[in-house]
Amino acid sequence: MKKLSFLFFLFASAANAQQLAPLSVQKIMRDPKWMGTSPDEYRWSADSKTVFFNWNPENKDKSQPYKLNVATQKVDKAEKEEAERSAAINYVYNKDKSLGLLEKGGDIYLTNLKSKKETRLTNTLERENNARFLYNNEIVFQRADNVYQLNFSTGELTQLTNFVKGKSEAASPASRPAGRATAQGASQQDLWLKNDQTALFDIIKKRNAEGGNRTMGRGRGFGMVNDNVKPRVIKPIHLEDDFMAGLTVSPDGKYVSYRLIKQAAGNKNTIVPNYVTASGYTEDINGRTKVGESLSISTTYVFDVAKDSVYAINVSQIAGIKDLPDYVKDYPKQLEERTKKNEDRKVNLNVVNWNENGSFAVISGRAQDNKDFWILKLEPATGKLTLIDRQRDEAWVGGPGVSRDIKWLDNQRFYFQSEATGYSHLYTYNVNTGEKKQLTSGKWEVQQVQLSKDKNTFYISGNKEHPGITHFYKLKVNGGDLVQITSMKGGNEVTLSPDEKWLAINYSFMDKPWELYIQANKPGAKAVKITKSTSAEFDSYEWRQPDLVSFKNRYGDDVYARVYPSKNPHPNKPGPV
């Protein structure tokens, strides 16, 4: 009898522990694990047969790797490195996708994708990265700060650039060691020593008469021929103290573009006190700078390989570069000063973006005051910029996909997003005809865009149905009807399989936390729920779904809201909302 009473007490305690009601701030502010832990970090295997994800259904200290067999819809625990081994290899392809480049351990590997034969192209102590195919199938890659071109059919390796860290000695004579001879002059001691050597040694007189000393290592020696071949010389480009980023080679190998970033000087970081420390003393945590401090300045350059010359892209030629923000009108003194100075606004240009064959170059840029974003045509031989598109927002230019770089569809067209209508939508631009075409429209926003492998279809995530409901759509690249693929109302975050046949959907609703669903990539296909992550305590509560309402504000714009009306309102008193 005592045992039965004890067991009844245990079951009653367990049941009460799993009941959430009545809801309180203390209960909901606990470690979020009390609700259950949703799956995340979805990634597909290369063969599109398995979805890997992280999950914690057993409420352990941290999530563990799991895998879903798409065919059987069975979920199992995965090995720690299994997802990485099964993932698609992120090759950089040549134009017909018969060859792929890959960096492993700081070296470059070439794979013949038909025969699956892999060839190691470099084996050095320095890291080689950023490997790309040129349009003629030769390879360019970056070693340290410089670019090299490899003809793997002949084995010839050519250095294209000569970037040098630090300042030029000619530009900073104070940095030279004292007493050393220079091209501009020499110390008295060096001049005396040179004249004394010439007077003492007949061989030096003979060399001087023949035109100077022979270059070290260029005379006859073991395995060498004195053929008077002059070594190739590339002018050094000194980076000084700037940081180089965005090194890009044109597909024809004629131009190298890059950015030099000069860090702002004199800024002070904020300091946050850290009270919980191992030492027992309060320690400082360096934070970010204050809003309004000086920003880093970046300059984009183009190096002409054949001419061995470099120029900085001149932003003064950008349309609207001197246009002041409207807010300055509210500050007459500032308006007067800035109008008088008539300075160019500071602009951060992105890297030069080439079409596949290198016949057309586009560069985008954003004003540092965040009022403008430009897309510009670049003539690489001259540096001339021509306006393609300008987006201006007196508040802050931005939005889903806005002020990001453009992406090429083919040699004639690229696509981008713009808020020209007030909403972020998808556009294409034809560089030959100058036609800008809007593909989506309406009072909703394109949130993400993915181009299909065959480049015939856009896959789009957007909130066309309602600002709080996201669906997955497809759209032909030439325009047409927007076809909805997902059907569950709520948040649908889609990870498309490599073969584009399946959707791994991270789905949630107002009263349902995120769970994994799997669906065929077809309109109207059923989405199958794979995971169940909520705890018994979370499920014990009757979570309410609010009413979705909208109303007009004073400017006539729609404002959307969720309303939780009182469940049992008093007939004669106001009900809480």
Side-chain angles (χ1 to χ4, degrees):
M1 188 68 179
K2 287 183 178 180
K3 284 185 177 182
L4 289 175
S5 299
F6 180 67
L7 288 173
F8 176 80
F9 173 76
L10 285 178
F11 290 137
S13 300
N16 289 331
Q18 292 180 347
Q19 294 298 314
L20 182 59
L23 196 63
S24 66
V25 173
Q26 288 80 3
K27 287 182 178 180
I28 64 175
M29 291 302 291
R30 291 173 289 168
D31 186 325
K33 283 185 179 179
W34 72 266
M35 298 182 291
T37 305
S38 295
D40 58 13
E41 296 188 25
Y42 304 109
R43 56 261 193 219
W44 283 90
S45 61
D47 59 9
S48 299
K49 294 180 179 180
T50 307
V51 180
F52 294 91
F53 56 97
N54 294 344
W55 196 26
N56 191 8
E58 299 172 349
N59 204 23
K60 294 184 177 181
D61 291 338
K62 61 181 182 180
S63 295
Q64 305 293 321
Y66 282 77
K67 61 183 178 181
L68 165 70
N69 184 311
V70 175
T72 64
Q73 297 182 4
K74 181 182 178 183
V75 174
D76 292 301
K77 286 187 177 180
E79 297 176 15
K80 190 174 182 181
E81 307 297 332
E82 190 175 355
E84 285 69 23
R85 293 196 304 267
S86 303
I89 299 176
N90 192 23
Y91 286 115
V92 175
Y93 298 100
N94 62 345
K95 58 186 176 183
D96 64 3
K97 294 193 174 181
S98 61
L99 301 172
L101 290 171
L102 190 68
E103 178 199 345
K104 292 194 293 186
D107 288 309
I108 306 298
Y109 291 77
L110 173 71
T111 299
N112 184 309
L113 298 173
K114 186 176 181 179
S115 65
K116 304 299 181 183
K117 181 182 177 182
E118 184 178 79
T119 304
R120 187 173 190 163
L121 300 181
T122 65
N123 189 356
T124 67
L125 295 180
E126 287 188 285
R127 180 191 175 192
E128 287 89 19
N129 65 314
N130 198 19
R132 293 289 185 273
F133 284 99
L134 297 181
Y135 199 63
N136 63 3
N137 254 15
E138 293 189 13
I139 296 168
V140 290
F141 62 88
Q142 185 176 343
R143 176 183 292 162
D145 288 326
N146 282 297
V147 179
Y148 295 79
Q149 182 173 337
L150 174 64
N151 184 329
F152 59 85
S153 61
T154 66
E156 181 181 4
L157 180 66
T158 305
Q159 184 171 340
L160 300 184
T161 63
N162 187 17
F163 295 114
V164 180
K165 292 184 181 295
K167 298 181 179 180
S168 167
E169 287 194 12
S172 54
S175 65
R176 299 189 195 102
R180 293 288 184 187
T182 68
Q184 287 73 29
S187 67
Q188 290 184 351
Q189 176 181 335
D190 288 345
L191 289 172
W192 181 90
L193 183 60
K194 182 178 180 180
N195 293 332
D196 187 57
Q197 291 289 96
T198 303
L200 289 174
F201 297 101
D202 292 336
I203 186 63
I204 294 179
K205 293 178 183 179
K206 182 179 179 181
R207 287 176 183 169
N208 289 343
E210 292 175 352
N213 292 330
R214 288 175 291 181
T215 304
M216 182 178 294
R218 292 288 173 180
R220 290 185 182 274
F222 181 76
M224 299 181 67
V225 178
N226 188 9
D227 55 4
N228 294 320
V229 175
K230 292 184 178 180
R232 179 168 171 262
V233 176
I234 310 174
K235 294 176 185 175
I237 299 174
H238 293 272
L239 305 180
E240 299 188 355
D241 297 325
D242 298 342
F243 172 74
M244 185 169 68
L247 199 62
T248 306
V249 184
S250 64
D252 56 13
K254 293 180 179 180
Y255 301 97
V256 178
S257 63
Y258 59 97
R259 297 169 62 205
L260 290 184
I261 302 171
K262 190 179 293 294
Q263 296 296 328
N267 288 349
K268 294 177 66 176
N269 285 11
T270 55
I271 296 175
V272 179
N274 182 14
Y275 298 104
V276 183
T277 63
S279 66
Y281 292 90
T282 302
E283 298 174 2
D284 291 335
I285 301 174
N286 284 325
R288 56 160 292 163
T289 57
K290 293 270 191 182
V291 174
E293 290 274 23
S294 300
L295 299 176
S296 300
I297 299 173
S298 72
T299 306
T300 300
Y301 294 84
V302 176
F303 174 70
D304 188 316
V305 175
K307 294 181 179 178
D308 194 14
S309 62
V310 66
Y311 66 84
I313 295 178
N314 182 11
V315 298
S316 297
Q317 55 186 313
I318 298 177
I321 192 65
K322 296 182 185 293
D323 293 352
L324 297 178
D326 284 355
Y327 77 82
V328 181
K329 297 174 183 177
D330 296 331
Y331 304 89
K333 186 176 180 180
Q334 185 183 151
L335 176 62
E336 181 183 358
E337 291 175 352
R338 294 184 65 173
T339 303
K340 186 177 180 180
K341 288 182 179 179
N342 196 31
E343 292 179 334
D344 294 341
R345 287 180 292 155
K346 291 184 174 63
V347 176
N348 289 332
L349 295 176
N350 292 319
V351 298
V352 179
N353 199 324
W354 300 88
N355 63 350
E356 185 178 5
N357 63 15
S359 61
F360 208 94
V362 172
I363 190 167
S364 59
R366 183 187 181 102
Q368 280 198 355
D369 62 14
N370 298 301
K371 307 304 178 194
D372 280 280
F373 177 74
W374 296 273
I375 300 175
L376 307 152
K377 172 188 174 183
L378 170 68
E379 295 181 11
T382 63
K384 180 183 176 182
L385 297 175
T386 305
L387 182 66
I388 292 176
D389 186 76
R390 178 186 180 187
Q391 299 180 48
R392 183 172 176 88
D393 193 322
E394 290 298 336
W396 190 290
V397 64
V402 176
S403 74
R404 297 176 185 170
D405 215 351
I406 63 99
K407 294 183 179 179
W408 290 94
L409 276 172
D410 48 44
N411 276 316
Q412 290 77 43
R413 295 176 298 166
F414 63 81
Y415 63 97
F416 64 100
Q417 286 175 248
S418 169
E419 277 193 334
T421 64
Y423 296 85
S424 179
H425 283 293
L426 181 62
Y427 295 75
T428 59
Y429 182 84
N430 189 307
V431 296
N432 288 333
T433 65
E435 179 192 11
K436 182 170 68 173
K437 186 176 182 180
Q438 184 174 349
L439 301 184
T440 60
S441 61
K443 292 185 177 181
W444 60 280
E445 296 205 306
V446 173
Q447 297 176 339
Q448 289 184 338
V449 179
Q450 180 178 342
L451 184 63
S452 63
K453 285 187 173 182
D454 61 12
K455 295 189 176 183
N456 291 325
T457 304
F458 287 120
Y459 290 108
I460 294 172
S461 292
N463 55 358
K464 184 180 180 182
E465 182 177 343
H466 183 277
I469 297 174
T470 303
H471 280 300
F472 193 66
Y473 304 85
K474 66 179 180 179
L475 174 71
K476 293 296 183 183
V477 295
N478 294 323
D481 294 333
L482 191 66
V483 180
Q484 182 177 319
I485 300 175
T486 54
S487 57
M488 297 182 293
K489 293 184 182 295
N492 290 274
E493 298 178 349
V494 172
T495 304
L496 189 63
S497 64
D499 63 6
E500 300 180 359
K501 293 181 179 179
W502 293 95
L503 313 180
I505 306 174
N506 194 33
Y507 171 76
S508 76
F509 195 61
M510 291 178 287
D511 60 342
K512 297 178 179 65
W514 297 98
E515 299 285 4
L516 170 62
Y517 287 71
I518 199 78
Q519 177 187 325
N521 185 13
K522 297 177 182 178
K526 182 181 178 181
V528 178
K529 186 177 180 180
I530 301 300
T531 61
K532 198 278 181 185
S533 306
T534 53
S535 66
E537 185 179 7
F538 181 91
D539 295 338
S540 72
Y541 190 81
E542 188 180 350
W543 299 99
R544 296 174 58 193
Q545 294 184 5
D547 297 333
L548 299 179
V549 300
S550 66
F551 58 91
K552 299 285 186 182
N553 64 12
R554 70 181 72 177
Y555 305 106
D557 297 324
D558 291 322
V559 177
Y560 294 87
R562 297 179 181 182
V563 175
Y564 292 84
S566 178
K567 193 172 183 179
N568 298 302
H570 193 281
N572 300 318
K573 295 181 180 180
V577 176

